[in-house]
């Protein structure tokens, strides 16, 4: 074996080991079958009584009367979305983004985004959280923290809306009358 051939074999082996360690798949020691991180998450949500259901590659589930969606990004990161926690007419965009920006400073794991509906008839507020989650990571406390923060951020968002309405109770179009919750 030449030195160049040995060097290439070492590089290939290291690359294969590195890629295997980043894979969201692992082999279940009991069945020797490959398992995936989404199956692990589905099992955790089932144990938490979240009524998970598969929707293609995504998982739809319930938590404290909210409906959530878990989707996979690049097989290493999961995005949990708490969609449509609030909706308002486009005329309230500045107020909504101001509240969203303040909450995004206050919260670490969950972020609030304001997006226009495709027909621009209203502004929708969603909460999202991205995190690295694989079946090899057995720590489910992060999942609990994220789901708890989703509920807290929705509550805080509504409190801010109420506060704005109380400060400006003479506005022609108060935000609170336009409230739609997930």
């Amino acid at each position: 074996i030449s030195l160049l051939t040995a060097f290439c074999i070492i590089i290939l082996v290291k690359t294969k080991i590195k890629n295997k360690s980043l894979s969201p798949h692992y082999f279940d020691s009991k069945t020797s079958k490959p398992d995936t991180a989404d199956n692990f998450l589905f099992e955790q949500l089932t144990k938490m009584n979240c009524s998970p259901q598969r929707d293609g590659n995504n998982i739809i589930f319930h938590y404290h009367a909210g409906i959530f969606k878990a989707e996979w990004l690049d097989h290493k990161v999961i995005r949990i979305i708490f969609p449509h926690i609030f909706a308002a007419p486009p005329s309230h965009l500045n107020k909504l983004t101001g509240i969203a920006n303040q909450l995004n400073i206050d919260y670490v794991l969950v972020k609030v985004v304001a997006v226009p509906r495709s027909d621009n008839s209203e502004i929708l507020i969603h909460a999202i959280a991205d995190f690295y989650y694989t079946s090899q990571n057995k720590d489910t406390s992060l999942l609990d923290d994220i789901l708890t923060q989703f509920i807290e951020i929705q509550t805080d968002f509504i409190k801010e809306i109420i506060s704005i309405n109380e400060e400006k109770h003479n506005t022609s179009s108060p935000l609170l009358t336009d409230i739609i919750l997930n």
Side-chain angles (χ1 to χ4, degrees):
I1 284 184
S2 72
L3 186 57
L4 180 60
T5 305
F7 180 75
C8 289
I9 291 172
I10 291 170
I11 296 298
L12 288 173
V13 169
K14 283 185 176 184
T15 303
K16 185 172 181 154
I17 291 170
K18 182 179 179 185
N19 288 340
K20 185 177 180 182
S21 67
L22 293 176
S23 171
H25 303 281
Y26 76 104
F27 284 90
D28 186 336
S29 60
K30 296 176 186 171
T31 64
S32 297
K33 293 181 182 178
D35 198 1
T36 59
D38 62 331
N39 288 338
F40 179 72
L41 179 63
F42 192 90
E43 290 172 15
Q44 293 305 311
L45 292 169
T46 301
K47 288 177 187 176
M48 294 170 63
N49 296 319
C50 292
S51 305
Q53 297 175 348
R54 296 207 183 266
D55 180 25
N57 291 330
N58 301 319
I59 299 172
I60 307 297
F61 63 96
H62 301 269
Y63 182 78
H64 288 270
I67 300 172
F68 295 81
K69 177 182 176 182
E71 59 184 31
W72 296 99
L73 308 176
D74 192 25
H75 296 291
K76 298 174 189 164
V77 176
I78 186 168
R79 172 171 287 162
I80 295 182
I81 304 166
F82 191 12
H84 201 197
I85 64 171
F86 189 81
S91 60
H92 296 300
L93 178 62
N94 289 338
K95 293 176 192 174
L96 296 174
T97 55
I99 294 169
N101 288 338
Q102 183 57 49
L103 290 174
N104 287 339
I105 291 169
D106 295 342
Y107 284 88
V108 176
L109 299 173
V110 177
K111 299 301 178 189
V112 178
V113 294
V115 295
R117 187 180 286 277
S118 61
D119 62 1
N120 290 325
S121 62
E122 61 186 349
I123 303 298
L124 302 175
I125 303 297
H126 307 295
I128 61 170
D130 293 345
F131 62 103
Y132 187 76
Y133 194 78
T134 71
S135 54
Q136 296 170 347
N137 176 6
K138 302 281 187 205
D139 180 18
T140 58
S141 64
L142 180 60
L143 179 61
D144 293 331
D145 291 343
I146 288 172
L147 294 176
T148 300
Q149 276 196 16
F150 274 120
I151 302 305
E152 291 171 356
I153 210 164
Q154 182 184 36
T155 302
D156 288 350
F157 196 91
I158 301 306
K159 286 179 183 176
E160 290 296 321
I161 295 294
I162 291 169
S163 174
I164 287 174
N165 281 339
E166 288 175 352
E167 289 173 9
K168 299 178 181 180
H169 64 328
N170 293 331
T171 60
S172 60
S173 180
L175 280 171
L176 198 55
T177 59
D178 300 319
I179 192 169
I180 300 171
L181 295 177
N182 170 345

